[in-house]
Amino acid sequence: MGDFSNRLTRAPLPFDTEAAADIAQTFADLAPELRDLLGGTAGCSPFLKGLIERDADWLREALSQGPEAAMADLMAALMPQGPAETGSALRLGKRRIALLAALADLGGLWSLEEVTGALTSFADAAVHRAFATHLAEEIRRKKIPGAQPGDEEHGAGMVAFAMGKMGAGELNYSSDIDLICLFDESRFDPDDWHEARQAFIRATRKASAMLNDPTGEGYVFRTDLRLRPDASVTPVCISMDAAERYYESLGRTWERAAWIKARPCAGDLEAGAKFQEVLRPFVWRRHLDFWAIEDAYDMIRRIREHKGLSGPLALESHNLKLGRGGIREIEFFTQTRQLIAGGRDPALRHRDTVGALAALSDKGWVPEAVTTQLTDAYRAHRELEHRLQMVHDAQTQILPRTPEEWDRIARFSGQGDTEAFRKDLRAQLEAVTELTEDFFQPGETGAEAQAPTPRPVLSDQQRGIVQGWRAYPALRSNRAQDIFARLEPEILNRLLKAPVPDDAIVNFDRFLAGLPAGVQLFSLFEANPTLIDLLGDILSTAPALGQYLSRNAEVFEAVIAGRFFSDWPGRDELTQGLITRLDSEPDYEARLDAARAWMKDWHFRIGVHHLRGLIDSFEAAKQYADLADAVLAAIWPVVGAEFARKHGPTPGRGAVVLGMGSLGSGRLNATSDLDLIVIYDADGEESSEGPRPLGARAYFARLTQAMVTALSAPMAQGRLYEVDMRLRPSGRQGPVATALSAFKSYQSGEAWTWEHLALTRARRVAGSVALGDEVEAFRRDLLAEKAKSETLRADVAAMRARLRSAKPSEGALDAKNGPGRLQDIELLAQTLALQSAAPARRIEAQLAAGKRAGLIGGAEEDALGSAYRLLWHLHGATRLLADRVLDPDALGEGARALVLRETASEDLDALLTRLESATAESARLIDGLLDDPAEPAADPGAD
């Protein structure tokens, strides 16, 4: 990439002009810009001046070929040798990489990431070489059972994990390195385990000493092994099994944060990767983990108290790493957000801080402007940190105390105006403090916390309810009580702002009583107070939904999990998103549970959008249907693969899943179940071929039952959907899966009229596309054939009479049952679709088909369509509120507001008047179109 001189973009200003002049004279033969770089460097850093003088000949060559080539030569020189020779080579290499990286940094040839990357690459090579050298000695002495010469290059059963900045590829200029050393006990027989353990402990100690101990040649890296589990009582290298048991039972939040950045850097890298996969559930929790915020804040507070860093910001002797607005606050801000959401989203699991911030921004967890600010500040802080360390090769982040030292650091940073440099730095520190402390401790900024929310005055009734809260299971732990004590005044103040405060408190009481545990949810509320308002809306408007939330509080996570209020993604994107989610799960049961959690998040989102008026009942209906389609399309192949693993691949052409009823028409409500039928074609194959083969009929029947179970079985995350398969041929008496030939024969010759009406809304939702196309072609041909039926209208009229008798209206707000209501209009619309042989599935399209065929007039279509829209608006709203018909007189204020908004009605009396008028007109029209016979002609009982 060219030599140094062609790529220079900056240089330090010399603080010590005499030192700068000495170096400039020594390198008088170099280009002026190189002399400026070397002189400015030497004039600010006594340490680097010494390195320049000590390695002048090597430096001339390095400057002529560029930093990348010089780096490659340094790495290539690290060859397998004996312990003494290896130690010398490592110390020489570290000295030269220190000088090379400093000059590439100070001259602007390398970005921050390239500087830290180069330092980390050398550290990886040094750790590998140190461990391989001493493992080779143990192998030579036959102290590692089963190991052969050469195995040391791959760890011989042990692995060193780079932690912290080394793990993230962010090693700073004068950093120590944090390592955790483990060995794979499963590689050794029980009788050999102890001997191998002792060998790995010896090798770890010697390798650490080689890296850490200074000699006349210098040192390699200060090495810290204390991040291992229970470091005060455990040896420097422990078994993976012991480490796993420790993290499962005793692991703390700071250790979870540490493992975010961890990676195997030396030894058996494959075993290291497997161990990290084992540790994944510890680091990345399945649910959004807002405990981590409080833990991170506690860590910051304890560090400050221990280091004496509390109090107002002062630049003199300020700790750039641990102090206010420093590097650690940006890292904790980032890692805590990762811990909160990374368990659900692998895309957030970046090791490096800048990459993690970008991912968090991309997923909506951090605003883009905040990400930009923090990224710029992080890079600036790290560059300044490097300059502080370069002065004397000291592991320090302490800003200068004296004016002279401030001048030195300003010049080292290329700034001639020290006061301007200090002013910019202070502004940067304050900006970071404002951004990060607001996250860790909402409402607390600066040196003192904001005054707590005052506890409101309650009525006697309200006070009696609130006093009972401490007895609920959600508040049984001390931690839950501590968080809730801080949160309770805020909750009460927000509940008292509800339209009917007494109702809001009563409903919150019911919610809290049903909550099995509270710490996670209370932490979530404390970090996101607006969720309390949302809960208040739900409890005031839809108490039944509130009771559901008390049993499934994790769905609140969806609100703050990225893009909750963004545009609806559509069926295809949903399907792909769920497929990707399921592919990341390790086994069948985990996939089914993951599908439930995923579906609940999206289902809750639809309900919240509807409740808040962001969408109406028709938009919600489409979204509920899209969601069901995505679940079916993603789950069917998962069920099929698990079934095939036991019984072999599907015989013949496979099967297709048809959605019927409301699912088929693409219009569901908040409490809809799924009407499904399964049709298969074994194509002449009598049985499957697998470990436990099944006959074709039994295969598809059991596959269908497995699909129903996958959808409806209660699991840890609940169930996906209730499933109704009564629309299959012969209803409950028929097989759960129907052969294609039998389906065609039955529909053509045996099916009742109601079954033909059901087919007007059938559509493929999962399974074989080719088979679905064939079923669709048959459906269209069948509709054309049955349109000629002379008994059609009489059969439908009889069905209508039976339905009216079996399912009378349950009240004025019953949008579904009763004359002129949804079921009545839908029955007529399906009849018109069948009579006109129209493939349309939605009610509006079926009514339009009837008009085109001359079966109804334009005025009739308009009246029926208008009534249908009013009723569906009402139906969608009331199903969001409860799974039963609501009593108009018992509607709470919030529920009434939702119903009136959804139906565009001024008040409840006006709505009831409109409903009575619209349904009466619809019933009159349907009566005129269908002449009721005296006796029913078919049994619609399975409908």
Side-chain angles (χ1 to χ4, degrees), residues 94-178:
K94 172 59 186 307
R95 191 170 74 232
R96 290 178 172 175
I97 189 63
L99 179 55
L100 181 69
L103 294 175
D105 180 356
L106 296 168
L109 285 81
W110 282 352
S111 66
L112 171 69
E113 286 76 16
E114 288 172 312
V115 172
T116 57
L119 293 169
T120 303
S121 294
F122 182 82
D124 285 353
V127 172
H128 169 72
R129 196 72 274 133
F131 275 87
T133 298
H134 292 290
L135 286 171
E137 291 295 300
E138 297 295 327
I139 293 171
R140 183 181 61 79
R141 296 170 55 220
K142 301 188 183 303
K143 296 297 183 179
I144 302 178
Q148 301 297 319
D151 287 351
E152 69 274 5
E153 294 297 323
H154 301 287
M158 77 162 287
V159 58
F161 288 94
M163 310 297 287
K165 287 185 169 61
M166 182 179 173
E170 299 175 327
L171 208 59
N172 64 36
Y173 186 76
S174 188
S175 180
D176 57 5
I177 58 175
D178 295 297

Side-chain angles (χ1 to χ4, degrees), residues 803-804 806-819 821 885:
L803 287 171
R804 185 180 298 181
K807 297 181 179 181
S809 174
E810 296 182 31
L813 293 183
D814 187 347
K816 182 177 181 181
N817 298 311
R821 297 178 186 256
V885 176

Side-chain angles (χ1 to χ4, degrees), residues 170-188:
E170 299 175 327
L171 208 59
N172 64 36
Y173 186 76
S174 188
S175 180
D176 57 5
I177 58 175
D178 295 297
L179 302 176
I180 291 179
C181 298
L182 306 177
F183 70 92
D184 183 1
E185 75 287 341
S186 67
R187 289 185 48 159
F188 303 98

Side-chain angles (χ1 to χ4, degrees), residues 231-514:
S232 62
V233 297
T234 55
V236 291
C237 184
I238 65 174
S239 71
M240 291 182 176
D241 177 66
E244 180 185 352
R245 284 187 281 109
Y246 168 84
Y247 289 122
E248 283 182 350
S249 58
L250 299 172
R252 291 160 288 182
T253 297
W254 73 261
E255 289 171 307
R256 292 176 59 206
W259 277 96
I260 288 178
K261 293 179 177 290
R263 61 179 174 84
C265 68
D268 191 337
L269 304 184
E270 183 177 345
K274 289 179 180 177
F275 178 76
Q276 281 195 279
E277 184 59 27
V278 169
L279 215 59
R280 180 169 60 88
F282 164 69
V283 181
W284 305 109
R285 302 287 167 84
R286 181 181 294 273
H287 297 301
L288 298 181
D289 187 8
F290 275 86
W291 297 6
I293 295 178
E294 188 177 3
D295 282 345
Y297 182 77
D298 286 344
M299 280 189 280
I300 289 175
R301 191 183 64 247
R302 288 196 300 270
I303 289 170
R304 287 178 180 166
E305 290 172 353
H306 177 68
K307 300 286 187 180
L309 301 174
S310 298
L313 174 63
L315 287 184
E316 277 66 29
S317 300
H318 184 71
N319 192 313
L320 185 63
K321 177 181 179 181
L322 303 177
R324 292 190 180 277
I327 294 168
R328 183 55 56 85
E329 287 191 353
I330 301 173
E331 291 173 339
F332 272 23
F333 174 92
T334 306
Q335 290 173 355
T336 305
R337 279 291 193 192
Q338 288 180 280
L339 287 176
I340 290 168
R344 295 160 59 101
D345 191 348
L348 300 178
R349 299 173 190 175
H350 287 252
R351 292 188 178 96
D352 66 297
T353 302
V354 171
L357 275 171
L360 289 165
S361 179
D362 183 59
K363 294 290 185 171
W365 281 97
V366 179
E368 186 176 350
V370 174
T371 294
T372 300
Q373 256 187 294
L374 290 179
T375 299
D376 291 346
Y378 182 75
R379 286 178 169 144
H381 282 3
R382 292 297 308 275
E383 288 198 351
L384 178 56
E385 176 189 39
H386 285 181
R387 280 139 188 76
L388 292 170
Q389 295 173 351
M390 287 175 189
V391 175
H392 297 294
D393 188 30
Q395 174 62 1
T396 183
Q397 291 88 16
I398 305 300
L399 294 177
R401 182 173 58 86
T402 66
E404 293 76 14
E405 288 305 308
W406 273 109
D407 286 342
R408 180 191 295 273
I409 290 301
R411 305 302 173 267
F412 212 179
S413 302
Q415 294 283 344
D417 186 337
T418 303
E419 283 308 308
F421 174 74
R422 285 167 52 89
K423 182 179 178 181
D424 291 344
L425 176 57
R426 174 181 282 278
Q428 193 164 262
L429 292 166
E430 289 174 345
V432 170
T433 295
E434 183 178 354
L435 289 170
T436 59
E437 290 206 353
D438 185 58
F439 167 66
F440 286 119
Q441 198 74 343
E444 178 179 323
T445 57
E448 297 183 0
Q450 191 175 14
T453 302
R455 189 178 182 87
V457 177
L458 303 176
S459 68
D460 290 342
Q461 177 187 355
Q462 293 167 348
R463 192 179 306 109
I465 294 170
V466 171
Q467 286 173 348
W469 288 353
R470 294 299 186 278
Y472 290 150
L475 287 160
R476 60 175 171 258
S477 73
N478 290 335
R479 188 168 191 180
Q481 292 173 20
D482 289 344
I483 300 171
F484 192 75
R486 297 195 299 267
L487 198 59
E488 187 179 43
E490 186 71 26
I491 291 175
L492 290 172
N493 275 289
R494 290 173 184 258
L495 291 177
L496 291 178
K497 294 177 182 177
V500 184
D502 284 348
D503 288 353
I505 288 179
V506 167
N507 289 328
F508 183 81
D509 177 69
R510 292 172 181 163
F511 169 80
L512 195 62

Side-chain angles (χ1 to χ4, degrees), residues 3-12 27-41 63 103 106-107 109:
D3 63 20
F4 266 70
S5 60
N6 293 331
R7 296 165 56 191
L8 289 173
T9 61
R10 64 189 183 190
F27 291 90
D29 56 314
L30 297 184
E33 55 270 22
L34 286 176
R35 292 200 304 273
D36 289 343
L37 172 64
L38 297 177
T41 299
L63 293 174
L103 294 175
L106 296 168
L109 285 81

Side-chain angles (χ1 to χ4, degrees), residues 16 100 305 328 503 508 610 643 665 683 788 839 857 901:
D16 183 341
L100 181 69
E305 290 172 353
R328 183 55 56 85
D503 288 353
F508 183 81
H610 193 186
F643 198 78
S665 67
D683 199 25
K788 305 168 186 175
R901 183 192 72 218

Side-chain angles (χ1 to χ4, degrees), residues 851-930:
K851 176 188 172 184
R852 287 194 300 272
L855 301 172
I856 60 173
E860 293 167 318
E861 181 196 11
D862 291 343
L864 291 167
S866 177
Y868 175 79
R869 286 188 291 275
L870 173 62
L871 289 162
W872 185 266
H873 278 295
L874 175 64
H875 188 58
T878 56
R879 282 296 182 266
L880 178 62
L881 299 174
D883 58 359
R884 65 186 187 282
V885 176
L886 300 174
D887 179 356
D889 296 330
L891 285 180
E893 180 121 357
R896 183 184 297 109
L898 171 64
V899 169
L900 295 179
R901 183 192 72 218
E902 187 64 45
T903 58
S905 300
E906 292 183 6
D907 54 42
L908 202 54
D909 288 339
L911 171 61
L912 296 177
T913 300
R914 289 176 63 203
L915 285 172
E916 183 177 358
S917 173
T919 55
E921 177 63 9
S922 293
R924 186 187 68 77
L925 292 173
I926 297 170
D927 287 342
L929 293 166
L930 300 174

